[in-house]
Amino acid sequence: MLEEIKPKGHAWRLLEYMRSKGMKIVAPPEDAIKKVEKVAEKTGDIANLSEVDIEVLALAYFLKATLLTDDYSMQNLSLIHIRRCRRIRRC
């Protein structure tokens, strides 16, 4: 996911600020990623998920976190796999 942040851009500066305040960067373990991919293949959502989507889902699963998203495929998979998801409506 960090690869998507352009150096010296606004998001990069915000990330550097958050790191200076103690934010930790955590990657999901490989077994969590494989589990998400397996479930996504089973549900048919794998074609609609990016590599970053899969990592976010795997991290939410690993951390037992609630996922907030407006992406239907992520919602579908997280409700089946993670069981903690909040749907967000687009305005």
Side-chain angles (χ1 to χ4, degrees):
M1 195 163 116
L2 292 176
E3 297 85 37
E4 294 187 3
I5 297 176
K6 295 180 176 103
K8 307 296 181 193
H10 175 73
W12 181 83
R13 288 190 305 274
L14 183 58
L15 176 63
E16 289 302 308
Y17 171 75
M18 296 298 289
R19 280 180 169 170
S20 75
K21 296 298 180 189
M23 182 183 79
K24 304 282 188 248
I25 300 200
V26 180
E30 192 61 35
D31 62 321
I33 292 172
K34 290 194 184 307
K35 185 164 186 150
V36 168
E37 289 172 336
K38 183 179 177 183
V39 174
E41 287 173 2
K42 188 187 241 185
T43 64
D45 290 307
I46 192 77
N48 299 319
L49 296 171
S50 70
E51 185 178 329
V52 172
D53 292 341
I54 291 169
E55 288 180 10
V56 168
L57 284 161
L59 189 59
Y61 170 73
F62 175 69
L63 296 175
K64 296 178 174 61
T66 299
L67 181 67
L68 299 173
T69 183
D70 66 349
D71 183 289
Y72 176 76
S73 292
M74 290 181 76
Q75 289 174 358
N76 186 42
L77 195 62
S78 66
L79 288 171
I80 292 167
H81 183 60
I82 300 171
R83 303 194 192 277
R84 284 177 302 280
C85 179
R86 300 266 190 240
R87 291 187 171 103
I88 299 174
R89 282 190 353 197
R90 289 187 183 191
C91 298

